[in-house]
Amino acid sequence: MEVQKLLVTPSPHILAKTNTRNIMVGVCIALLPTLIASAVIFGWYVLLLCGVTVAACVGFEALYCLIMKKPIPVGDFSAVVTGIILAFNLPPAFPLWMAIIGAFISIVIVKQLFGGLGLNFANPALVGRMVLQLSFTGPMIAFTYPQSVAGVDALASATPLYVLQQGTVPLMDLLLGTHGGVLGETCAITLIVGGLFMIFTKIISPTIPVVYIGGVFVLKFLLGIGGGTAAAVAGMDALGSILAGGLLLGAFFMATDYTTSPYTRRGKIVYGIVLAILTVAIREWATMLEGVSYSLLLANLLVPYINGLTRQRPLGVKKGKKPAADGKGAK
Amino acid sequence: MEKKNTGLMTILTNGLLKENPVLRLVLGTCPTLAVTTAVFNGLGMGVAATFVLICSNIVISALRKIIPSQVRLPCFIVIIASFVTLVHMLIRAYVPALNSALGVYLPLITVNCIILGRAEMFASKNGVAASALDGLGMGIGFTITLVLMSAVRELVGAGTFLGIQIIPASVAPVGVMVLPPGGFFVFGIFMALAIFLERKMGKDPTPDAACGACPSAEFCPAKGVE
């Protein structure tokens, strides 16, 4: 009779099937509807643009790791996600070679030089966008009007945020995305669908998007009321400010980046509130119309501090009582 | 405390890579980031600082036995400031373009950490000849670093080199490189390159994170203090 050997190993013993690759493929799937929508709205060039940024991101990552003799992490799809999100942050007619520079900044400077996946200090695609915005301001704000305007190939137009300042934009236009803007921010419906997909497949927790979007809505509504607008009008304005601009894209796909968002739920709530306040403040009082990317970057930099201040209580430790380990372990 | 057995050649070449003031000692960071937007500015700043560095090193070294150690810093500053004033006047008279390009950073050479640092760490402890060579080496290291950094930033950020168009004007330059963020990008990459080069030459400057890794360890009052 065979004696069964008793194996003693440290936990964890039950492993989920989740790994970086599964998660990143999930994010890609969630981004796909928006990509299709923007191809429908802006034309086929956006698919080329997106393909180029993805290829450039993957290529730069492979090249860097090859030169530095590191294991090549291309199989984990994280560079693909960075590439898609970077493309989503570019206007529809953006020159390809500039997009490649953005991919270089994102992958090599922001991600790999700081140690690769999980060690970047800020969202790579976001910094890529910032650098492009600072370097090529002209092409970066050349928003072309969607092709749905009959008889006109391309028409420079203001983004809905600008129009909102002057009057109102029909909410239906905002939902469907038939207005000017960067690739990934126009079609609100597909962004919401993608976000819900990620929440239901547990790729992201709903805390950050809900607090961020809700916070912007509430702040905008209160500002409207405070400014003497009727509640109904203020509500519609607030709804419009959620759907317009990069808020949905930022809240679902960029603010929830694992590396650059806080660990705990309390931290996530703080992070969402900080984002909401910054975004509304920039949109309302700064010279720029859109504040999502700058508030995301600033909040990214605050994440280590938020993490430090919102630590989880160890299991079993009573509230208000300092954990005993603090006194001994501090040295 | 005289430094013995140090060949004059070593003193001269120290500043180039091993103790490169900007990349390894991380001194003078402010002017480095501010003026390296164009090669002309970087070169001008490097030469001006080198001149001040050599002269002040010589004078401070010659006076090192006379200056009481309690008031040495004010004395160093007075000596450095005199040479900076001299350079400032010369540049204003003969290269007014450089004067307007460098702006406030020219008089600010007075408080450049490299010059005060070398006065404190080297000139006040070594002979005149060694100090002059140290100033020259450090100055050359500073100038080379500034010129290389500004060459990268000017070429990528403005498409020019010394004001001459290299990359055709039809290609939009990456403007961020001449803005402060680009300065930090280039600075960080150059620092990494300096360490990489030193490793290539068979010396590992960062065996661990302790005092041994720091080029200033020899002069550091906190050395060995945990």
Side-chain angles (χ1 to χ4, degrees):
Chain A
M1 195 179 138
E2 201 152 304
V3 182
Q4 197 91 40
K5 275 185 188 157
L6 182 66
L7 282 175
V8 182
T9 56
S11 63
H13 299 109
I14 304 167
L15 296 171
K17 279 182 188 153
T18 326
N19 57 28
T20 311
R21 188 186 170 134
N22 286 347
I23 290 173
M24 291 303 166
V25 172
V27 178
C28 288
I29 293 171
L31 287 164
L32 214 55
T34 311
L35 181 61
I36 294 168
S38 80
V40 171
I41 296 166
F42 295 112
W44 295 108
Y45 181 76
V46 302
L47 291 182
L48 178 66
L49 186 61
C50 190
V52 165
T53 53
V54 169
C57 281
V58 174
F60 281 130
E61 184 152 79
L63 202 64
Y64 179 87
C65 292
L66 201 68
I67 293 171
M68 300 306 284
K69 300 191 179 71
K70 294 205 316 189
I72 295 176
V74 166
D76 69 8
F77 273 76
S78 61
V80 176
V81 170
T82 303
I84 299 179
I85 294 183
L86 177 66
F88 277 15
N89 275 294
L90 303 174
F94 200 66
L96 293 178
W97 69 270
M98 291 181 183
I100 293 173
I101 290 179
F104 176 81
I105 303 278
S106 299
I107 291 295
V108 177
I109 293 193
V110 183
K111 189 175 165 197
Q112 288 298 343
L113 284 185
F114 283 87
L117 185 68
L119 293 165
N120 42 301
F121 70 100
N123 191 322
L126 193 62
V127 182
R129 177 209 148 90
M130 296 298 183
V131 168
L132 292 178
Q133 175 96 54
L134 289 171
S135 302
F136 311 114
T137 313
M140 275 302 278
I141 54 168
F143 302 115
T144 49
Y145 207 72
Q147 291 188 328
S148 53
V149 182
V152 183
D153 285 340
L155 189 72
S157 86
T159 63
L161 275 178
Y162 178 73
V163 184
L164 269 176
Q165 276 197 338
Q166 318 295 320
T168 50
V169 170
L171 286 183
M172 205 57 205
D173 278 6
L174 291 176
L175 276 175
L176 290 176
T178 50
H179 54 76
V182 298
L183 285 193
E185 72 177 10
T186 59
C187 190
I189 289 180
T190 54
L191 283 170
I192 294 170
V193 168
L196 290 179
F197 171 80
M198 290 201 298
I199 290 171
F200 283 122
T201 51
K202 299 210 166 124
I203 293 174
I204 60 170
S205 91
T207 316
I208 294 174
V210 167
V211 174
Y212 185 11
I213 297 171
V216 170
F217 182 84
V218 170
L219 283 173
K220 194 77 191 170
F221 183 70
L222 291 179
L223 281 174
I225 297 277
T229 328
V233 180
M236 285 306 269
D237 270 0
L239 203 57
S241 75
I242 288 177
L243 296 176
L247 181 63
L248 290 173
L249 177 67
F252 283 122
F253 292 99
M254 294 164 90
T256 54
D257 176 32
Y258 294 131
T259 316
T260 53
S261 64
Y263 305 131
T264 62
R265 171 160 296 170
R266 262 195 307 159
K268 287 183 169 139
I269 292 171
V270 172
Y271 182 65
I273 293 171
V274 168
L275 279 171
I277 293 173
L278 286 172
T279 305
V280 172
I282 294 176
R283 281 188 180 177
E284 286 290 312
W285 298 300
T287 51
M288 284 176 297
L289 285 167
E290 179 55 301
V292 171
S293 42
Y294 281 97
S295 39
L296 272 169
L297 187 62
L298 195 53
N300 274 178
L301 301 182
L302 293 177
V303 164
Y305 304 102
I306 296 176
N307 273 337
L309 292 173
T310 57
R311 256 191 219 169
Q312 248 170 348
R313 252 198 341 273
L315 192 67
V317 176
K318 290 233 172 69
K319 203 175 181 180
K321 216 176 170 184
K322 282 205 168 172
D326 256 19
K328 290 173 199 165
K331 284 183 185 173
Chain B
M1 191 175 72
E2 297 272 287
K3 248 177 109 183
K4 289 176 191 97
N5 306 328
T6 316
L8 293 180
M9 210 49 213
T10 330
I11 295 174
L12 184 65
T13 54
N14 251 352
L16 298 185
L17 187 63
K18 187 167 158 277
E19 287 185 22
N20 185 301
V22 183
L23 300 177
R24 301 293 289 121
L25 304 183
V26 203
L27 296 172
T29 316
C30 178
T32 304
L33 290 168
V35 306
T36 51
T37 50
V39 178
F40 179 64
N41 299 354
L43 189 64
M45 174 53 116
V47 171
T50 305
F51 172 77
V52 176
L53 195 48
I54 297 171
C55 297
S56 65
N57 258 11
I58 291 173
V59 173
I60 289 167
S61 169
L63 296 176
R64 70 185 188 280
K65 303 239 167 74
I66 305 169
I67 298 172
S69 74
Q70 292 91 337
V71 291
R72 66 187 191 283
L73 287 182
C75 296
F76 294 166
I77 292 286
V78 169
I79 293 166
I80 295 165
S82 341
F83 287 111
V84 172
T85 313
L86 201 67
V87 169
H88 195 186
M89 285 171 170
L90 282 172
I91 289 181
R92 259 198 304 198
Y94 295 106
V95 208
L98 185 64
N99 180 49
S100 50
L102 292 181
V104 73
Y105 290 99
L106 203 47
L108 276 182
I109 294 178
T110 314
V111 285
N112 188 323
C113 310
I114 300 173
I115 296 167
L116 193 59
R118 288 332 282 178
E120 172 76 4
M121 289 197 288
F122 198 93
S124 60
K125 294 164 184 162
N126 290 281
V128 175
S131 298
L133 278 176
D134 177 73
L136 183 64
M138 286 286 158
I140 293 174
F142 184 55
T143 312
I144 290 177
T145 314
L146 287 191
V147 169
L148 287 178
M149 273 181 68
S150 48
V152 173
R153 289 182 71 186
E154 192 183 336
L155 198 62
V156 182
T160 57
F161 184 84
L162 272 172
I164 305 156
Q165 197 82 32
I166 302 285
I167 298 172
S170 54
V171 181
V174 188
V176 77
M177 291 302 269
V178 289
L179 295 174
F184 280 101
F185 287 166
V186 178
F187 191 35
I189 291 169
F190 266 69
M191 274 174 146
L193 274 180
I195 294 176
F196 173 77
L197 270 180
E198 235 176 305
R199 269 194 201 156
K200 271 273 136 139
M201 285 153 62
K203 282 166 278 175
D204 195 344
T206 52
D208 50 354
C211 284
C214 174
S216 309
E218 196 184 334
F219 311 101
C220 181
K223 186 184 173 187
V225 181
E226 290 293 316

